Amino acid sequence: MSIVAMKARVTGRVQGVAFRTWARAEALRHGLSGWVRNEPDGSVRALLIGPAASVADMVRKMGRGPGAASVKDVLTERTDPDPGISGFSITG
């Protein structure tokens, strides 16, 4: 099983709609590590670390988001997994 890391930037109506709480619950359900946070520009950023198939599925789900969200786009960038990160947190 290959472990990958992906940075994601989600745009649209994604703040004030419980997106981070939803993303944390989904990430934990998928067995992922990382974090999610609000950005000053209104987007949400996330770092997703885990099995490649689980990360890909999480990115797809982030494209829909929770019911109150209206996702415009999810931009992703592969990065190196950080072995020092465990669990999944809301950082901001």
Side-chain angles (χ1 to χ4, degrees):
M1 168 173 47
S2 138
I3 300 298
V4 300
M6 188 78 64
K7 290 180 182 177
R9 179 174 178 260
V10 186
T11 59
R13 195 172 124 232
V14 292
Q15 290 190 14
V17 294
F19 195 97
R20 293 173 301 158
T21 301
W22 169 86
R24 182 178 183 274
E26 284 294 317
L28 292 173
R29 193 172 70 73
H30 281 80
L32 302 179
S33 298
W35 48 258
V36 62
R37 69 178 181 227
N38 283 343
E39 293 292 319
D41 66 0
S43 67
V44 169
R45 285 204 186 260
L47 173 65
L48 311 168
I49 303 170
S54 295
V55 169
D57 190 43
M58 181 67 186
V59 169
R60 279 191 297 277
K61 288 185 182 220
M62 290 177 87
R64 292 186 304 274
S70 178
V71 176
K72 179 180 176 186
D73 200 9
V74 180
L75 303 172
T76 60
E77 173 187 352
R78 234 161 138 173
T79 188
D80 293 326
D82 182 343
I85 295 178
S86 64
F88 199 92
S89 60
I90 297 172
T91 64

